[in-house]
Amino acid sequence: MYTGSMYESMKKVEAARAANTAFEPRRMTAEEKDRLLETYHPDYKKSEFSTLKIGANAGEKVPHELAALLQANPRIRADQIDLSKIDYDVDVLIIGGGGAGASAAIEADNNGAKTMIVTKLRIGDANTMMAEGGIQAADKPNDSPAIHYIDAFGGGHFAAKPELLYKLVNEAPEAIQWLSSLGVEFDKAPDGTMITTHGGGTSRKRMHAARDYSGAEIMRTLRDEVLNRGIPVVDFTSAIELILDENGRCAGAVLMNMETREILIARAKTVILATGGAGRLHYQGFPTSNHYGATADGLILGYRAGAKLLYADTLQYHPTGAAYPEQIFGALVTEKVRSLGAKLVNVNGEVFMHPLETRDVSAASIIRECSDRGNGVKTVDGVGVWLDTPMIEIKGGEGTIEKRIPAMMRMFAKYGIDIRKEPILVYPTLHYQNGGLDITPDGMTGVENLFAAGEVVGGIHGRNRLMGNSLLDVIVFGRNAGKSASEKSKSVECGKLTLAHLEKFAEEMRSAGIETDVQSPKLLPVYTHGNPDFTKAAF
């Protein structure tokens, strides 16, 4: 299934493997990293960004694809919707059925709030389910939340909101205990101690995992808890607009059944946006590791209602997305593969970077190797570098791959590739939305009674995220939003429901001279023949 040139390159990798296994390249200096990122990381390509003309972030740059949706027409007109017909009336409305939304629902239910989840797919159809590598928490004797903070703050280019990152790292150990108490089966040593490993940019082994099904195991447990509690879940139903009351406070959402297109009205004392990321917008034409519904809906809804975005110009391109075969192009190859001992190797069999650099540095290094240096491995329709997985068995012993990363082994085995014996080809894939809605430590956005949690939030990780802090984020801030929103709901009296903010937004568009046929939120990507969202070459 490989081309002749790919086989020749693979032979060079095999010949150099013994020496490469023992070789540890030095880490880059801060100056080297800065030069590398400015030259090769997609976030620094000025031509790929637009300046917003309207809204809370007017004058700031965001990717073209996001700008087109932020400055688009709503799917409804205010005069089309009868807000007096209430279909759902709850204390806490949670929009999104992933890890953050489920965690929020559990905590809101604990606080006695009448809670409901609405999700455009099914509960659990989210990036949480697809996360593989693990979840960070400083709960070992040689570690501490302070060290975790330093690692994450530096990895995020010292741009994280300190109060949010402080909350993330300090509540991490308790988050692991909470998940364990709900039934998450973390990897453990024979004596019952949780096994932890390194991740890129970490100075301690604090990555807790459930093999390489970590997100699926966590989501399975949270979903079961939500359903067992009888918390209502309205699936295959999208929020297409937020509802405010006459005082400008969030008071619910306009919903649309994805199958029948029926419009429904949900009134709520508080609302939590937990809609996840934006990978399916395929920024700069990159493939993505994201689930089908990751189309930035929460950013659109929040922005149109008046909420501010933070670091919306920063995305995470995971350094190791599958580059071959084409059937799994862009699929995530977990960073855990490198933490177990695999190294990145170029077409000549040379290790070209330290295996545990941060994700942005690793992605930029691969792009440099494949572009300016010309050391990429050419496939039929792209390029990549080798991730030399057989090194794992050399270092950890026979059976390590099957025991620690069985999902990876199975994914490639479907296409005749045995990662225990053959290296795999990888290239950066659009993975995570670093930026998002700006929140306070209690989870509230700039719109009163509108909370947010999970990947839809910006500022927790700064301008780059370390491995394992996203699963942690959805748990810590999902629970946080559930507690805060349910407590706030106890003192809220909803005023008259209104969609007047849509008319105000439309007037802003007219004043700015914005004319567009685009409607948002996008809801789902389009891949029909002749009309793909993913059209540009990422290489």
Short mmCIF file of all heavy atoms in Angstrom, two decimals, residues 30 33-34 37 146-160 165 200-202 358-361 460-466 469:
data_model
loop_
_atom_site.label_atom_id
_atom_site.label_comp_id
_atom_site.label_asym_id
_atom_site.label_seq_id
_atom_site.Cartn_x
_atom_site.Cartn_y
_atom_site.Cartn_z
N ALA A 30 14.00 29.35 24.24
CA ALA A 30 12.81 30.19 24.08
C ALA A 30 12.91 31.01 22.79
O ALA A 30 11.91 31.18 22.07
CB ALA A 30 12.66 31.11 25.29
N LYS A 33 12.21 28.79 19.77
CA LYS A 33 10.78 28.51 19.67
C LYS A 33 10.02 29.68 19.07
O LYS A 33 9.16 29.51 18.21
CB LYS A 33 10.22 28.16 21.04
CG LYS A 33 10.71 26.84 21.61
CD LYS A 33 10.13 26.60 23.00
CE LYS A 33 10.66 25.31 23.61
NZ LYS A 33 10.13 25.08 24.97
N ASP A 34 10.34 30.89 19.54
CA ASP A 34 9.65 32.08 19.04
C ASP A 34 9.85 32.25 17.54
O ASP A 34 8.90 32.53 16.80
CB ASP A 34 10.13 33.33 19.78
CG ASP A 34 9.61 33.40 21.22
OD1 ASP A 34 8.65 32.69 21.53
OD2 ASP A 34 10.19 34.18 22.01
N LEU A 37 7.84 29.49 15.61
CA LEU A 37 6.40 29.71 15.59
C LEU A 37 6.04 30.86 14.65
O LEU A 37 5.09 30.76 13.86
CB LEU A 37 5.89 30.01 17.00
CG LEU A 37 5.96 28.84 17.99
CD1 LEU A 37 5.62 29.32 19.39
CD2 LEU A 37 5.02 27.71 17.58
N ALA A 146 1.08 24.10 42.00
CA ALA A 146 1.94 25.23 41.64
C ALA A 146 2.84 24.88 40.46
O ALA A 146 3.03 25.69 39.53
CB ALA A 146 2.79 25.63 42.85
N ILE A 147 3.39 23.67 40.46
CA ILE A 147 4.24 23.23 39.34
C ILE A 147 3.39 23.05 38.09
O ILE A 147 3.81 23.41 36.98
CB ILE A 147 4.99 21.93 39.71
CG1 ILE A 147 5.90 22.15 40.92
CG2 ILE A 147 5.82 21.44 38.53
CD1 ILE A 147 6.54 20.89 41.45
N HIS A 148 2.21 22.49 38.26
CA HIS A 148 1.26 22.34 37.15
C HIS A 148 0.95 23.71 36.56
O HIS A 148 0.93 23.88 35.33
CB HIS A 148 -0.02 21.66 37.67
CG HIS A 148 -0.99 21.28 36.61
ND1 HIS A 148 -2.17 20.60 36.90
CD2 HIS A 148 -1.02 21.48 35.26
CE1 HIS A 148 -2.84 20.40 35.77
NE2 HIS A 148 -2.17 20.92 34.77
N TYR A 149 0.75 24.70 37.40
CA TYR A 149 0.45 26.06 36.96
C TYR A 149 1.59 26.62 36.11
O TYR A 149 1.38 27.18 35.03
CB TYR A 149 0.22 26.97 38.18
CG TYR A 149 -0.20 28.39 37.86
CD1 TYR A 149 -1.52 28.78 37.94
CD2 TYR A 149 0.75 29.34 37.47
CE1 TYR A 149 -1.91 30.08 37.65
CE2 TYR A 149 0.38 30.64 37.17
CZ TYR A 149 -0.95 31.01 37.27
OH TYR A 149 -1.32 32.30 36.97
N ILE A 150 2.82 26.45 36.58
CA ILE A 150 3.98 26.98 35.87
C ILE A 150 4.11 26.32 34.50
O ILE A 150 4.36 27.00 33.49
CB ILE A 150 5.27 26.76 36.71
CG1 ILE A 150 5.23 27.65 37.96
CG2 ILE A 150 6.52 27.05 35.89
CD1 ILE A 150 6.31 27.33 38.97
N ASP A 151 3.95 25.01 34.44
CA ASP A 151 4.02 24.30 33.16
C ASP A 151 2.97 24.85 32.18
O ASP A 151 3.27 25.13 31.02
CB ASP A 151 3.78 22.80 33.36
CG ASP A 151 4.96 22.10 33.99
OD1 ASP A 151 6.06 22.69 34.07
OD2 ASP A 151 4.78 20.93 34.42
N ALA A 152 1.73 24.95 32.65
CA ALA A 152 0.63 25.37 31.78
C ALA A 152 0.74 26.85 31.39
O ALA A 152 0.44 27.23 30.26
CB ALA A 152 -0.71 25.11 32.46
N PHE A 153 1.17 27.67 32.33
CA PHE A 153 1.29 29.11 32.06
C PHE A 153 2.36 29.36 31.01
O PHE A 153 2.16 30.12 30.05
CB PHE A 153 1.61 29.86 33.36
CG PHE A 153 1.31 31.34 33.31
CD1 PHE A 153 0.11 31.80 32.80
CD2 PHE A 153 2.22 32.27 33.80
CE1 PHE A 153 -0.19 33.17 32.77
CE2 PHE A 153 1.94 33.63 33.78
CZ PHE A 153 0.74 34.08 33.26
N GLY A 154 3.50 28.70 31.15
CA GLY A 154 4.57 28.84 30.16
C GLY A 154 4.17 28.24 28.83
O GLY A 154 4.42 28.83 27.77
N GLY A 155 3.53 27.07 28.86
CA GLY A 155 3.10 26.43 27.61
C GLY A 155 2.09 27.25 26.85
O GLY A 155 1.98 27.16 25.63
N GLY A 156 1.32 28.09 27.56
CA GLY A 156 0.33 28.96 26.94
C GLY A 156 0.86 30.34 26.63
O GLY A 156 0.09 31.29 26.44
N HIS A 157 2.20 30.47 26.61
CA HIS A 157 2.88 31.73 26.31
C HIS A 157 2.52 32.83 27.29
O HIS A 157 2.41 34.00 26.92
CB HIS A 157 2.60 32.16 24.86
CG HIS A 157 3.01 31.14 23.85
ND1 HIS A 157 4.33 30.89 23.53
CD2 HIS A 157 2.29 30.26 23.10
CE1 HIS A 157 4.39 29.91 22.62
NE2 HIS A 157 3.17 29.51 22.37
N PHE A 158 2.32 32.45 28.54
CA PHE A 158 2.07 33.38 29.65
C PHE A 158 0.86 34.28 29.39
O PHE A 158 0.81 35.42 29.85
CB PHE A 158 3.33 34.22 29.92
CG PHE A 158 4.55 33.39 30.13
CD1 PHE A 158 5.46 33.17 29.10
CD2 PHE A 158 4.80 32.78 31.36
CE1 PHE A 158 6.59 32.37 29.28
CE2 PHE A 158 5.92 31.98 31.55
CZ PHE A 158 6.81 31.77 30.51
N ALA A 159 -0.11 33.75 28.63
CA ALA A 159 -1.28 34.56 28.26
C ALA A 159 -2.56 34.10 28.94
O ALA A 159 -3.60 34.73 28.77
CB ALA A 159 -1.46 34.51 26.74
N ALA A 160 -2.53 33.01 29.71
CA ALA A 160 -3.74 32.54 30.38
C ALA A 160 -4.22 33.56 31.40
O ALA A 160 -3.41 34.31 31.98
CB ALA A 160 -3.46 31.21 31.08
N LEU A 165 -6.63 29.81 35.29
CA LEU A 165 -5.64 28.74 35.35
C LEU A 165 -5.43 28.28 36.79
O LEU A 165 -5.25 27.09 37.05
CB LEU A 165 -4.32 29.23 34.74
CG LEU A 165 -3.19 28.20 34.67
CD1 LEU A 165 -3.63 26.94 33.93
CD2 LEU A 165 -1.96 28.81 34.00
N GLY A 200 3.63 16.54 26.48
CA GLY A 200 4.46 17.63 25.98
C GLY A 200 4.35 18.87 26.85
O GLY A 200 3.27 19.32 27.16
N GLY A 201 5.50 19.40 27.24
CA GLY A 201 5.54 20.62 28.05
C GLY A 201 5.38 20.41 29.54
O GLY A 201 5.36 21.38 30.31
N THR A 202 5.26 19.17 29.99
CA THR A 202 5.10 18.92 31.43
C THR A 202 6.44 18.55 32.07
O THR A 202 7.26 17.87 31.46
CB THR A 202 4.10 17.78 31.70
OG1 THR A 202 4.60 16.56 31.13
CG2 THR A 202 2.75 18.08 31.09
N THR A 358 6.16 21.34 23.33
CA THR A 358 4.74 21.68 23.37
C THR A 358 4.13 21.49 21.98
O THR A 358 4.82 21.43 20.96
CB THR A 358 4.52 23.13 23.83
OG1 THR A 358 5.28 24.00 22.97
CG2 THR A 358 4.97 23.32 25.26
N ARG A 359 2.81 21.42 21.93
CA ARG A 359 2.13 21.08 20.68
C ARG A 359 2.36 22.10 19.57
O ARG A 359 2.53 21.74 18.41
CB ARG A 359 0.64 20.88 20.93
CG ARG A 359 0.33 19.58 21.63
CD ARG A 359 -1.14 19.43 21.92
NE ARG A 359 -1.43 18.08 22.40
CZ ARG A 359 -2.63 17.68 22.79
NH1 ARG A 359 -3.66 18.51 22.75
NH2 ARG A 359 -2.82 16.44 23.21
N ASP A 360 2.34 23.38 19.91
CA ASP A 360 2.53 24.37 18.85
C ASP A 360 3.94 24.30 18.28
O ASP A 360 4.13 24.38 17.06
CB ASP A 360 2.21 25.79 19.36
CG ASP A 360 2.96 26.20 20.61
OD1 ASP A 360 3.64 25.35 21.23
OD2 ASP A 360 2.86 27.38 21.00
N VAL A 361 4.93 24.09 19.14
CA VAL A 361 6.32 23.97 18.69
C VAL A 361 6.48 22.70 17.85
O VAL A 361 7.15 22.70 16.81
CB VAL A 361 7.29 23.97 19.89
CG1 VAL A 361 8.70 23.59 19.46
CG2 VAL A 361 7.28 25.34 20.56
N ILE A 460 -8.38 30.13 29.48
CA ILE A 460 -7.94 29.17 30.50
C ILE A 460 -6.53 28.69 30.19
O ILE A 460 -5.67 28.58 31.08
CB ILE A 460 -8.90 27.97 30.59
CG1 ILE A 460 -10.29 28.44 31.02
CG2 ILE A 460 -8.36 26.91 31.57
CD1 ILE A 460 -11.36 27.36 30.91
N HIS A 461 -6.25 28.44 28.92
CA HIS A 461 -4.97 27.87 28.51
C HIS A 461 -4.03 28.89 27.88
O HIS A 461 -2.92 28.52 27.47
CB HIS A 461 -5.21 26.73 27.52
CG HIS A 461 -6.21 25.73 28.00
ND1 HIS A 461 -5.93 24.83 29.00
CD2 HIS A 461 -7.50 25.51 27.65
CE1 HIS A 461 -7.01 24.10 29.23
NE2 HIS A 461 -7.97 24.50 28.43
N GLY A 462 -4.45 30.13 27.77
CA GLY A 462 -3.62 31.12 27.09
C GLY A 462 -3.71 30.94 25.60
O GLY A 462 -4.77 30.71 25.03
N ARG A 463 -2.54 31.00 24.94
CA ARG A 463 -2.51 30.93 23.48
C ARG A 463 -2.05 29.57 22.97
O ARG A 463 -1.80 29.39 21.77
CB ARG A 463 -1.62 32.05 22.93
CG ARG A 463 -2.07 33.44 23.38
CD ARG A 463 -1.26 34.53 22.72
NE ARG A 463 -1.66 34.71 21.33
CZ ARG A 463 -2.67 35.51 20.93
NH1 ARG A 463 -3.38 36.18 21.82
NH2 ARG A 463 -2.96 35.60 19.65
N ASN A 464 -1.92 28.60 23.85
CA ASN A 464 -1.60 27.23 23.47
C ASN A 464 -1.95 26.35 24.66
O ASN A 464 -1.80 26.76 25.80
CB ASN A 464 -0.11 27.09 23.14
CG ASN A 464 0.26 25.67 22.76
OD1 ASN A 464 -0.28 25.10 21.81
ND2 ASN A 464 1.19 25.07 23.49
N ARG A 465 -2.42 25.13 24.38
CA ARG A 465 -2.84 24.24 25.46
C ARG A 465 -1.93 23.02 25.55
O ARG A 465 -1.53 22.46 24.54
CB ARG A 465 -4.29 23.79 25.24
CG ARG A 465 -4.78 22.82 26.29
CD ARG A 465 -6.20 22.37 26.01
NE ARG A 465 -6.36 21.66 24.75
CZ ARG A 465 -6.00 20.39 24.55
NH1 ARG A 465 -5.41 19.69 25.53
NH2 ARG A 465 -6.19 19.81 23.38
N LEU A 466 -1.63 22.62 26.78
CA LEU A 466 -0.87 21.40 26.99
C LEU A 466 -1.79 20.18 26.95
O LEU A 466 -2.95 20.26 27.34
CB LEU A 466 -0.14 21.43 28.34
CG LEU A 466 0.90 22.53 28.57
CD1 LEU A 466 1.65 22.27 29.87
CD2 LEU A 466 1.87 22.64 27.40
N ASN A 469 -4.92 18.95 29.49
CA ASN A 469 -5.60 20.04 30.19
C ASN A 469 -6.99 20.32 29.62
O ASN A 469 -7.75 21.09 30.19
CB ASN A 469 -4.76 21.31 30.18
CG ASN A 469 -3.69 21.30 31.25
OD1 ASN A 469 -3.73 20.48 32.17
ND2 ASN A 469 -2.74 22.21 31.15
#
